Amino acid sequence: KAGVTQTPRYLIKTRGQQVTLSCSPISGHRSVSWYQQTPGQGLQFLFEYFSETQRNKGNFPGRFSGRQFSNSRSEMNVSTLELGDSALYLCASSFGVREELFFGEGSRLTVL
Amino acid sequence: KQEVTQIPAALSVPEGENLVLNCSFTDSAIYNLQWFRQDPGKGLTSLLLIQSSQREQTSGRLNASLDKSSGRSTLYIAASQPGDSATYLCAGTPSGGSYIPTFGRGTSLIVHP
C-alpha cells in the first residue's frame, strides 16, 4: 500500500515567485492536511481538506492557498514568495476526522 | 487553546538504556494522542496512537501511555539503539470543536554506541 506522496521533494525559488506543491494521499483517505515546519516555529497547521472542501484553516496570510481534487489529491500554492516562506512543507492524510495521521516526506522549499 | 510541551528538548544516551520521553498538554479534552518519529529532513512516521479511552499502546520496544487527568503522555523506549536516533513528536487531537491536532516541538534523541 503506497504511502503519502509529495512532489517535488526539493525546490528553490526567488522572492516574488509562486510555487505549487502536490500531495497524493494514501488510497482511500479523504482528509488531507498541510503543515509548515521551520526550526523556529515547529509544525504549524496550514489547512485541511475533506472531500474537496476546505474545512479548517490555520493562521497564515492569503498568499497560502490550497485545493483538493475529486480523487483526494491536493495541491497548495504560495504566491509572492518571501524569504520567511523557506520551510519544509508536510502533507498528511487520514481516513477521516480524528483518525491516525500519515505524513509524506515533505517538500523542502528554499526562497532566495 | 491547547498547548503541547515536550521535555526534554534534547537527550543523549548510551546504547542499551531504557528511556522515557514526556509530552504534556494543557487541555484534558483530548480525543487521541499520537507519537511520531522524524529523521532529519524527512517527514513524520507514525509510531503509536492512543485513544482517550485507552491507557497505553505497545509496538515492539515502544510503549506509550496516556493520563488525561494529569495531562501527560509518555513514550518509553526499551533497550535503545543507535537507529532510534531521531526527533520524537507528540500530537494531541481535541475531542470537541476543531479536530486539528496540536503538535509539540519534539525531543531530539541521540543514542550513541
Side-chain angles (χ1 to χ4, degrees), chain B residues 24-92:
Chain B
S24 301
F25 44 93
T26 54
D27 188 350
S28 62
I30 200 165
Y31 186 84
N32 60 43
L33 193 292
Q34 193 169 356
W35 282 92
F36 297 89
R37 167 191 172 131
Q38 185 175 30
D39 293 290
K42 299 292 184 69
L44 278 67
T45 300
S46 177
L47 296 173
L48 290 164
L49 175 72
I50 312 175
Q51 302 291 351
S52 61
S53 58
Q54 300 173 318
R55 292 299 300 265
E56 63 179 51
Q57 282 282 5
T58 298
S59 176
R61 294 183 293 109
L62 305 179
N63 176 278
S65 66
L66 175 63
D67 185 342
K68 288 176 54 178
S69 61
S70 67
R72 293 186 62 186
S73 176
T74 60
L75 178 66
Y76 175 83
I77 303 176
S80 58
Q81 303 170 357
D84 294 330
S85 299
T87 297
Y88 292 81
L89 297 95
C90 64

Side-chain angles (χ1 to χ4, degrees), chain A residues 9 35 37 39-43 45 48 55-56 88 90 97-98 100-105 108, chain B residues 31-32 34 36 38 41-44 46 49 89 93-101 103 105:
Chain A
R9 289 291 316 279
Y35 293 83
Q37 187 178 37
Q41 300 294 323
L43 261 164
F45 170 73
E48 183 255 350
R55 298 190 301 183
N56 287 279
L88 180 66
L90 293 163
V97 173
R98 297 189 177 91
E100 186 174 5
L101 282 178
F102 295 89
F103 281 82
E105 291 288 356
R108 169 73 65 183
Chain B
Y31 186 84
N32 60 43
Q34 193 169 356
F36 297 89
Q38 185 175 30
K42 299 292 184 69
L44 278 67
S46 177
L49 175 72
L89 297 95
T93 298
S95 56
S98 168
Y99 48 82
I100 301 303
F103 284 80
R105 297 296 297 270

